[in-house]
Amino acid sequence: MSEDGTVTYPGDAQVPSVNVSAEEDATRISTVITDVSQTEVFDYDFGAGAAVEVQGDGSTLYWWVDADSGGPCR
């Protein structure tokens, strides 16, 4: 874990590294692809009630949906 709280899960020749950073109101997950032979498809399980939206720049927003209201959990 780094001083800013980022946790890095190191990859290898076939698997990319993943960095996870907690921010005040968000979590940032960065997948680092260092070689064209590494996979380009990733699965992340955020648990029941999670909603995911891919942005135009390739980034992804995720949040949890309140089961009663159907809106985002706060």
Side-chain angles (χ1 to χ4, degrees), residues 4-27:
D4 70 356
T6 299
V7 177
T8 298
Y9 299 93
D12 58 29
Q14 289 79 38
V15 179
S17 298
V18 177
N19 301 314
V20 180
S21 304
E23 299 178 9
E24 184 175 329
D25 61 349
T27 301

Side-chain angles (χ1 to χ4, degrees), residues 31-45:
T31 305
V32 182
I33 302 169
T34 58
D35 187 273
V36 296
S37 67
Q38 291 180 331
T39 185
E40 296 176 6
V41 178
F42 309 98
D43 292 316
Y44 298 103
D45 183 355

